[in-house]
Each structure stands twice: as C-alpha cells, then as structure tokens.
C-alpha cells in the first residue's frame, strides 16, 4: 500500500488529521488552538518529528530486510509491490464477493444453450451490491411512505416554515436586549446626565456643521424652537437622524455612521435645547409641537 500512499502523502495526511483532532477537542474560541495555546504548537511540532522519525526507522528496517532476502524473495516482493491495484489478492477477493462474477475458465458452467452468430449468453447472477442496494431502496420507500403519507410527517416546506418561525422568534428575542439593533418604536427619552453629555459630544462631532453648536440652525433647521418638520418627539428625532430628512433634500441618513444607541443619546440631547433661544437663531420651520419635558 505504500505505493498508493507514499511518504509525502502519509506524513502530511497524518499530521493534518492530528491538527484537526486537536482543534476539535480543544475549545479555543474564534482563534486556532495553536495560537490561543502555544503549547499546542509545540505538541504539533513533536507529532511531526515523531512521524518523520518513524518513517526513517521503517525505511532503514526495510533496507536491512531487503539485504537479508534471497534474490527469489526480493523478486516476489517487487512483483507484489508493482502489481496493479485491481489484481491485489484482497481487492480481487472483495470484488468477487461484490459481483459473484465467474472467471473466463468458469464461464462454461453458466453458458445458456442458445447462441446467435457465434455469440453465447451467460446466465450471470445479479451482483450482490446491486441486490442489496435495491433492497435498501425498497426499505427506504416503505419508511418514507409510512412517515410522510400515513403518519403525517412534516414535509420539507413545513419543516422550513417551522424553522423560519423559530428563527424569527429568536431574532425578536435578541432584538429586545441588543442595544445596537434599537428601532424607533423602542426609543425612550434619556435623562441621565451621562447620557446627555454623551449625546452632546456626539452632536458636537457630527451635527454642528449644519445646526450650529447651540442648535440655532444653519444649513439645517433650528432645533431650539417648538417647530419641527418631521416631528419633535424623541422617536421622531431618532428616526429622522437614522433615516435622513425628506427625499431629495434635508439631512442624510446617519445609520451607517452612528450606532442606534448613540443616535438615541443625540435625540435626547437635542430635546434639552428646547427653549434656549440662542442668538441669531434660524426662523421656525415646520409644524408647532408641544414642548417635551426633559427632566
């Protein structure tokens, strides 16, 4: 078998099988085990050295045995090593069991009595592998019929619908506790000083170019009065920052640049600017909305 699995195939194959087994047995998280645990790298190196040492010892032993063999034994060994795979005794025996074929010398035993133009027909039996495969398909068919047509087993579409429903339920549960998947209907007004301070810092970094540091408005509308173009509730402000202003004009959507939890903080900070009346504030735009209490 060494002819079919030479040393340059055996050693890498066994080494990578060992590597895969170690990765399977050791829970190293997202990192490979040999990176998370340096001792694993040493173990893999030791395995490689042992494999190489075994190959060296085996080759040396074979050379010694070859020298001790008679010319006839050596010739027989070479004949077996160079024999085609299909002619190996074990393979021939296996094929015989799987096919029950007759050799050319035995074909006389299964010849039928008729012939045509010198062509004779052989009464070969069906190959056992084919017969067993046929029996297995019959058994599978009976089980399939019973499960899906007699006992109401779920078909593929029903299984898919069931799995999708479970997945959707898991997504909804995850959304309830995943802050960065915050949606407008989940937003509440934040009043903690730390949240307001964080909202102000984010506002100063991203919004002052259009709304001014005091919220009085520039390119964008005034955020300190009672008039709002797209609604003045915290949910409305959150949605406007997330999705952008009116189509074709107004503010761009910020959902790709700012996390939803941070947008909630910005919206909460903006509502603290209500009634501050900065100097040179921009004229009101939109509809009047009742002031929102922020404390």
């Amino acid at each position: 078998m060494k002819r079919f699995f030479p040393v340059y195939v055996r050693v890498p194959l066994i080494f990578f099988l060992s590597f895969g087994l170690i990765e399977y047995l050791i829970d190293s998280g997202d990192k490979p085990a040999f990176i998370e645990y340096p001792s694993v790298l040493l173990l893999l190196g030791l395995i490689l050295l042992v494999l190489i040492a075994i190959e060296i010892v085996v080759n040396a032993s074979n050379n010694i045995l070859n020298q001790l063999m008679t010319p006839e034994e050596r010739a027989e060994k070479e004949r077996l090593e160079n024999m085609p795979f299909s002619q190996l005794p074990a393979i021939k025996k296996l094929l015989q069991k799987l096919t029950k074929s007759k050799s050319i010398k035995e074909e006389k035993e299964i010849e039928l009595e008729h012939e045509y133009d010198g062509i004779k027909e052989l009464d070969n039996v069906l190959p056992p592998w084919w017969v067993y495969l046929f029996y297995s398909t019959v058994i599978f068919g009976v089980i399939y019929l019973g499960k899906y047509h007699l006992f109401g087993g779920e078909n593929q579409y029903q299984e898919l619908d069931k799995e999708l429903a479970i997945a959707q339920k898991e997504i909804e549960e995850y959304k309830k506790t995943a802050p960065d998947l915050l949606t407008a209907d989940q937003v509440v007004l934040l009043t903690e000083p730390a949240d307001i301070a964080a909202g102000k810092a984010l506002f100063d970094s991203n919004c002052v170019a259009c709304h001014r540091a005091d919220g009085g408005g520039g390119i964008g509308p005034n955020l300190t009065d009672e008039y709002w173009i797209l609604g003045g509730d915290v949910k409305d402000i959150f949605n406007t920052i997330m999705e952008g202003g009116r189509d074709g004009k107004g503010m761009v959507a910020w959902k790709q640049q700012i996390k939803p939890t941070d947008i909630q903080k910005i919206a909460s900070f903006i509502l603290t600017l209500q009634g501050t009346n900065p100097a040179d504030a921009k004229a009101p735009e939109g509809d009047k909305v009742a002031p929102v209490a922020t404390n």
Side-chain angles (χ1 to χ4, degrees):
M1 296 299 290
K2 289 184 179 180
R3 177 158 55 99
F4 305 103
F5 294 97
V7 63
Y8 54 82
V9 173
R10 289 196 304 273
V11 172
L13 179 62
I14 297 174
F15 176 78
F16 283 111
L17 285 175
S18 303
F19 174 82
L21 180 62
I22 292 172
E23 286 290 333
Y24 175 77
L25 294 176
I26 298 178
D27 183 11
S28 57
D30 296 333
K31 294 182 181 180
F34 69 90
I35 293 179
E36 188 69 16
Y37 305 104
S39 57
V40 172
L41 189 60
L42 296 176
L43 177 61
L44 289 172
L46 180 61
I47 291 173
L48 182 60
L49 290 176
V50 169
L51 291 174
I52 294 172
I54 291 174
E55 292 294 333
I56 292 173
V57 171
V58 170
N59 286 335
S61 300
N62 288 336
N63 290 335
I64 294 173
L65 289 175
N66 285 336
Q67 293 175 1
L68 296 176
M69 286 180 180
T70 64
E72 293 78 12
E73 291 174 335
R74 195 176 296 115
E76 178 64 15
K77 180 183 177 184
E78 291 178 358
R79 185 186 71 81
L80 292 174
E81 289 179 348
N82 295 322
M83 183 181 293
F85 183 76
S86 60
Q87 297 301 314
L88 293 174
I91 301 301
K92 289 181 69 175
K93 185 176 180 180
L94 176 63
L95 291 175
Q96 175 62 29
K97 287 184 176 181
L98 290 175
T99 62
K100 284 191 176 179
S101 59
K102 297 287 186 179
S103 66
I104 295 178
K105 294 179 180 180
E106 298 172 323
E107 284 185 353
K108 284 287 184 181
E109 301 174 8
I110 55 173
E111 280 185 4
L112 297 177
E113 296 299 327
H114 59 84
E115 65 177 85
Y116 185 78
D117 285 346
I119 300 174
K120 296 182 179 181
E121 184 178 355
L122 301 178
D123 188 19
N124 281 310
V125 298
L126 289 171
W129 70 264
W130 190 95
V131 175
Y132 297 146
L133 181 62
F134 174 73
Y135 289 158
S136 65
T137 59
V138 173
I139 294 171
F140 174 83
V142 172
I143 295 173
Y144 186 93
L145 177 67
K147 179 177 180 180
Y148 293 106
H149 295 278
L150 298 179
F151 302 108
E154 295 179 342
N155 59 35
Q156 291 177 327
Y157 294 105
Q158 292 169 328
E159 290 177 353
L160 176 62
D161 292 338
K162 185 177 180 180
E163 291 177 2
L164 288 175
I166 293 172
Q168 185 61 40
K169 185 176 180 181
E170 291 175 350
I171 290 172
E172 295 302 325
E173 289 297 322
Y174 176 72
K175 284 182 177 179
K176 291 179 181 178
T177 57
D180 281 347
L181 292 180
L182 194 67
T183 57
D185 58 334
Q186 298 171 320
V187 170
V188 295
L189 180 65
L190 302 176
T191 58
E192 292 294 327
D195 293 328
I196 300 301
K200 181 180 186 308
L202 290 164
F203 182 89
D204 292 342
S205 300
N206 300 282
C207 309
V208 297
C210 296
H211 297 284
R212 289 180 16 189
D214 55 14
I219 299 174
N222 182 356
L223 302 177
T224 66
D225 57 31
E226 299 176 341
Y227 291 83
W228 297 89
I229 298 172
L230 297 173
D233 181 77
V234 67
K235 297 181 187 295
D236 297 326
I237 299 172
F238 174 89
N239 189 67
T240 302
I241 300 172
M242 280 279 289
E243 305 298 336
R246 295 160 291 176
D247 292 337
K249 58 182 176 179
M251 185 173 64
V252 300
W254 286 87
K255 59 186 176 182
Q256 300 299 330
Q257 290 82 20
I258 307 176
K259 295 187 299 184
T261 48
D262 288 340
I263 291 178
Q264 183 182 27
K265 294 172 185 176
I266 295 173
S268 298
F269 166 72
I270 287 173
L271 288 175
T272 66
L273 300 175
Q274 292 286 280
T276 55
N277 299 320
D280 301 321
K282 194 173 181 180
E285 299 176 77
D287 300 322
K288 186 175 182 179
V289 177
V292 178
T294 59
N295 49 37

